[in-house]
């Protein structure tokens, strides 16, 4: 299963490149008012499909049993939705005086606001035998981003409710009736969501490439790539140091969950969110670029570090067992 999931993610990253290349070659197909009618098929149907799919695949019973780790969840939520975006905001105050494209910098701020994913962070956590500690708070994310959007907050909230919350709830209700069938057949939920997400990415960049006034310089792109890599690595080290300090209440398995869940960001939730919050914005694709870069970097960096983190966790767990008094 891990091999199949890794292959799916590799193909998805290739799909992102092909979707952007396809938008470059023929942007007229996916622009607003074009043959695909993205103002309807993407803004409503595609986004709703992703979250209905998430509702079907979300195992509520496992999520409920994980809620006993209150301190772990609290730390992850505070780090992800408070410390992370605040730190990025302070960092961007320094970067604002540089020649880096301002819309890429705004995109970097939106990355900081994203919640952790229900995919890569969990998979990497499982790969080393850690705990799964994730509670996603999309409403707080939307409130944070809404202040910088030209779309009225009421419109953002209503579309969020209709295309995210309602499909998610319906998916959960349907799951209760066909749970046994889902467990037997194991439908390709990940592949379905990835395919729909590629369509959203494609139409987003169609709007960009059809607008001659938008230009992205390579210098800014390279700097953003370096900044994203540095941010991820720095925050992973920071969360490791904090969760393993002398008076820490976290177990080695908790530390693994903290490292991955606190620093990873959700592309599946993020792209539809940006599509809603920045609806009609001519620079939407540029704002999306940092998140599109962050996603493969977090998978690559996480995969490289898994053996090292696993070795550390095993050695720490053995040390705990050896120092535990015998009865």
């Amino acid at each position: 299963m891990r091999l199949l999931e890794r292959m799916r993610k590799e193909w998805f990253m290739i799909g992102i490149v092909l979707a952007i290349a396809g938008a470059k070659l023929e942007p007229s197909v996916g622009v607003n008012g074009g043959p695909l009618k993205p103002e309807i098929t993407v803004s409503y149907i595609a986004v709703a499909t992703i979250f209905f799919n998430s509702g079907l695949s979300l195992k509520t019973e496992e999520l409920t049993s994980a809620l006993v780790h209150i301190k772990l969840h609290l730390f992850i939520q505070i780090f992800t939705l408070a410390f992370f975006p605040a730190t990025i905001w302070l960092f961007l105050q320094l970067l604002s005086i540089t020649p880096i494209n301002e819309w890429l910098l705004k995109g970097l701020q939106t990355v900081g606001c994203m919640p952790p994913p229900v995919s890569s962070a969990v998979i990497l956590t499982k790969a080393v035998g850690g705990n799964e500690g994730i509670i996603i708070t999309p409403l707080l994310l939307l409130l944070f981003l809404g202040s910088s959007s030209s779309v009225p907050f009421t419109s953002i909230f209503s579309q969020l409710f209709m295309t995210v919350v309602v499909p998610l709830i319906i998916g959960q209700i349907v799951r209760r009736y066909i749970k046994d069938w889902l467990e037997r057949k194991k439908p390709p939920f990940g592949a379905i969501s990835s395919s729909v997400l590629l369509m959203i990415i494609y139409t987003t960049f169609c709007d960009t490439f059809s607008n001659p006034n938008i230009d992205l310089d390579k210098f800014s792109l390279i700097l953003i790539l370096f900044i994203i890599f540095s941010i991820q690595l720095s925050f992973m080290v920071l969360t490791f140091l904090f969760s393993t300090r002398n008076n820490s209440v976290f177990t080695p398995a908790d530390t693994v969950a903290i490292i991955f869940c606190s620093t990873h960001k959700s592309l599946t939730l993020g792209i539809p969110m940006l599509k809603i919050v920045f609806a009609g914005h001519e620079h939407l694709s540029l704002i999306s670029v940092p998140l599109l870069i962050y996603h493969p970097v977090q998978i690559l960096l996480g995969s490289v570090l898994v053996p090292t983190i696993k070795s550390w966790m095993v050695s720490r767990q053995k040390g705990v067992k050896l120092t535990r008094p015998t009865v």
Side-chain angles (χ1 to χ4, degrees):
M1 289 297 292
R2 290 175 188 168
L3 177 61
L4 290 175
E5 186 64 29
R6 187 164 62 249
M7 289 177 62
R8 183 183 70 80
K9 287 187 174 296
E10 289 174 356
W11 278 108
F12 177 64
M13 287 187 280
I14 294 173
I16 291 176
V17 175
L18 293 177
I20 296 174
K24 175 68 174 177
L25 291 173
E26 195 56 56
S28 61
V29 175
V31 296
N32 283 339
L36 286 182
K37 300 293 181 183
E39 61 273 16
I40 299 173
T41 57
V42 170
S43 297
Y44 294 95
I45 299 175
V47 175
T49 299
I50 286 178
F51 289 100
F52 173 74
N53 190 49
S54 297
L56 280 177
S57 60
L58 183 62
K59 297 181 179 180
T60 314
E61 59 276 12
E62 292 185 5
L63 186 62
T64 303
S65 64
L67 290 176
V68 296
H69 303 285
I70 300 298
K71 291 181 179 179
L72 178 64
H73 294 316
L74 187 60
F75 177 88
I76 291 173
Q77 292 307 301
I78 291 175
F79 189 94
T80 305
L81 298 175
F83 180 81
F84 203 125
T87 303
I88 294 297
W89 183 83
L90 289 172
F91 184 46
L92 290 181
Q93 303 313 301
L94 298 175
L95 292 179
S96 62
I97 62 175
T98 68
I100 299 177
N101 185 288
E102 65 170 311
W103 297 107
L104 288 180
L105 293 181
K106 289 182 184 295
L108 199 57
Q109 180 65 71
T110 65
V111 170
C113 299
M114 294 296 162
V118 192
S119 53
S120 59
V122 174
I123 290 161
L124 289 167
T125 299
K126 281 183 176 178
V128 295
N131 295 333
E132 298 174 26
I134 299 177
I135 300 176
I136 297 180
T137 333
L139 181 58
L140 291 177
L141 169 67
L142 190 58
L143 287 171
F144 197 98
L145 290 178
S147 62
S148 60
S149 171
S150 58
V151 181
F153 177 76
T154 51
S155 298
I156 294 172
F157 183 80
S158 61
Q159 189 171 350
L160 170 72
F161 183 76
M162 293 303 298
T163 59
V164 176
V165 179
V166 172
L168 193 65
I169 293 173
I170 294 175
Q172 278 285 280
I173 294 172
V174 173
R175 177 181 172 81
R176 297 179 71 176
Y177 291 98
I178 61 172
K179 179 182 174 182
D180 293 337
W181 181 85
L182 291 173
E183 293 297 327
R184 286 198 314 272
K185 297 297 183 179
K186 299 187 183 302
F189 293 116
I192 294 171
S193 292
S194 295
S195 300
V196 176
L197 194 56
L198 288 175
M199 178 183 175
I200 296 175
I201 293 170
Y202 168 72
T203 56
T204 298
F205 278 86
C206 281
D207 285 332
T208 297
F209 293 128
S210 64
N211 187 342
N213 297 322
I214 295 178
D215 183 37
L216 176 61
D217 60 287
K218 294 179 181 178
F219 174 74
S220 293
L221 199 59
I222 293 172
L223 280 182
I224 287 293
L225 177 60
F226 175 76
I227 290 168
I228 285 174
F229 180 85
S230 302
I231 288 173
Q232 282 199 46
L233 189 58
S234 299
F235 279 176
M236 291 180 83
V237 171
L238 181 61
T239 53
F240 174 79
L241 293 175
F242 186 86
S243 59
T244 57
R245 67 194 191 282
N246 291 333
N247 59 341
S248 175
V249 297
F250 299 118
T251 66
D254 290 338
T255 296
V256 172
I258 287 171
I259 291 173
F260 289 128
C261 297
S262 297
T263 59
H264 281 207
K265 296 294 183 177
S266 175
L267 182 68
T268 305
L269 180 62
I271 292 297
M273 279 281 187
L274 293 180
K275 196 76 174 178
I276 293 171
V277 174
F278 294 98
H281 201 296
E282 65 174 352
H283 293 98
L284 172 60
S285 60
L286 295 186
I287 295 172
S288 306
V289 165
L291 184 58
L292 292 173
I293 294 175
Y294 198 98
H295 179 73
V297 170
Q298 73 185 9
I299 294 173
L300 178 62
L301 190 58
S303 300
V304 169
L305 293 175
V306 158
T308 303
I309 295 175
K310 183 174 184 178
S311 176
W312 169 84
M313 191 186 75
V314 171
S315 64
R316 284 293 297 268
Q317 288 178 332
K318 286 181 178 179
V320 170
K321 290 179 181 178
L322 288 174
T323 56
R324 188 174 296 165
T326 57
V327 179

